[in-house]
Amino acid sequence: MAALTRLAKPSFASHSPISYLSRYLYSGVASEPSSHAASSYNPHLGPKPSRLVNDSKNRSVQWVFLGSPGVGKGTYASRLSNLLGVPHIATGDLVREELAASGPLSHQLSEIVNQGKLVSDEIIINLLSKRLEAGEAKGELGFILDGFPRTIRQAGVTDIDMVLNLKLREDVLLEKCLGRRTCSQCGGNFNVASINVKGSNGSPAISMAPLLPPQHCMSKLVTRADDTEEVIKHRIDIYNEKSRPVEQFYRSRGKLLEFDLPGGIPESWPKLLEVLDLDDYKEQQSAAA
């Protein structure tokens, strides 16, 4: 029998994150999710916090990706989104879309982002609420959130099934972030860093090959304004201070799954699928294609 399981749980609509977000926005009070929903889940790679379903017409995945800035949340969330057919919603993308729109928040957000600060709970929740409302209107069932929640206050406003915490040693993380590049023409994301870090103090060695662009993009690569060593270190410090408590919030509720990245995508992706009990699912999807 395939590793995918289906949990008996109220429908997506009955626990819509929009209701939590709306209540938060209008009352200023975040509702704390109940802790009994994942009583059978062992966060240390025991029974998985399953909310996967193998019926593509009735799929509702409500997951969160946690991890330091630059760890790869977007990369792996996007891959799982494509595999499972649920939307990948990155709050960083929502912020950048708002910046590009030159709306009333644009100037304020520009200052916050360029200084490496965290965007306020109110702004993030407002942007996410609008995105979820638009998705629900289109018939989307579920989501994979990337970059939300980052604070305990944010953590109390969504009904989540599983939280995947991606981890990477800090020296590797810094080198990886400094290598990020974007093509100014096509918008593609690449990484020019070739990482080979020796193991030390019980930490294993890590190698990550660069993710180079096609030749026609090479001359058009740009670095994000906030990808300087000073700003990256500052973002990591802020994350450690304000977001790590979110990990404990979900850990205490039995919803946190820790995953140490063993290397780049070729090394990490198969292991991640195995941890999530999705290795069989990918094989089934490939066979049906």
Side-chain angles (χ1 to χ4, degrees):
M1 184 175 180
L4 300 176
T5 59
R6 189 172 185 173
L7 298 184
K9 192 172 181 180
S11 68
F12 175 79
S14 66
H15 279 279
S16 170
I18 296 173
S19 65
Y20 287 89
L21 292 171
S22 297
R23 182 162 52 205
Y24 177 95
L25 288 168
Y26 289 106
S27 70
V29 178
S31 300
E32 182 175 308
S34 63
S35 61
H36 69 277
S39 59
S40 62
Y41 166 49
N42 178 353
H44 299 292
L45 304 189
K48 311 302 185 298
S50 299
R51 188 61 178 97
L52 303 177
V53 295
N54 52 9
D55 178 358
S56 61
K57 295 181 179 179
N58 191 26
R59 180 184 294 118
S60 179
V61 171
Q62 294 173 213
W63 288 1
V64 159
F65 270 57
L66 295 182
S68 295
V71 74
K73 297 185 296 294
T75 297
Y76 295 103
S78 179
R79 282 176 167 247
L80 285 170
S81 169
N82 291 333
L83 181 65
L84 300 172
V86 295
H88 163 215
I89 302 175
T91 52
D93 290 343
L94 298 181
V95 169
R96 283 184 281 275
E97 288 170 9
E98 189 70 24
L99 283 168
S102 300
L105 285 177
S106 180
H107 180 69
Q108 180 184 357
L109 284 173
S110 180
E111 291 184 352
I112 293 171
V113 170
N114 288 336
Q115 293 173 20
K117 296 179 180 179
L118 284 180
V119 181
S120 71
D121 289 346
E122 288 76 13
I123 292 176
I124 289 296
I125 290 172
N126 188 23
L127 293 176
L128 180 58
S129 178
K130 288 192 292 184
R131 170 60 184 85
L132 290 173
E133 287 173 357
E136 191 170 56
K138 293 188 297 184
E140 291 178 353
L141 291 177
F143 51 77
I144 297 177
L145 295 182
D146 159 14
F148 182 95
R150 287 186 174 178
T151 67
I152 293 293
R153 196 178 183 195
Q154 292 177 6
V157 301
T158 46
D159 186 23
I160 299 300
D161 302 310
M162 188 273 287
V163 179
L164 181 64
N165 186 28
L166 298 181
K167 304 176 76 174
L168 188 64
R169 45 189 285 188
E170 197 164 306
D171 54 342
V172 176
L173 183 61
L174 177 61
E175 192 172 347
K176 182 172 179 282
C177 288
L178 290 173
R180 294 194 295 193
R181 300 290 187 274
T182 302
C183 177
S184 59
Q185 181 171 326
C186 72
N189 294 308
F190 308 99
N191 199 301
V192 299
S194 181
I195 300 173
N196 289 285
V197 179
K198 295 181 179 180
S200 62
N201 300 322
S203 298
I206 292 183
S207 295
M208 292 185 177
L211 181 61
L212 298 176
Q215 191 62 39
H216 62 270
C217 290
M218 287 294 289
S219 63
K220 304 176 183 68
L221 295 184
V222 295
T223 304
R224 279 171 41 175
D226 57 338
D227 270 352
T228 65
E229 184 169 350
E230 180 181 2
V231 171
I232 291 168
K233 287 182 175 179
H234 184 55
R235 284 206 307 265
I236 293 173
D237 288 342
I238 290 178
Y239 180 86
N240 290 339
E241 177 186 352
K242 294 193 174 182
S243 296
R244 287 282 169 84
V246 176
E247 298 173 10
Q248 182 55 36
F249 177 90
Y250 287 118
R251 184 180 292 112
S252 67
R253 286 154 177 78
K255 295 189 176 186
L256 188 73
L257 176 61
E258 310 269 10
F259 183 72
D260 289 287
L261 292 165
I265 294 173
E267 298 82 15
S268 300
W269 178 240
K271 292 184 181 296
L272 179 59
L273 292 178
E274 181 180 350
V275 165
L276 294 173
D277 278 346
L278 282 172
D279 41 353
D280 289 347
Y281 185 72
K282 185 176 182 181
E283 292 174 3
Q284 292 171 10
Q285 293 291 86
S286 298

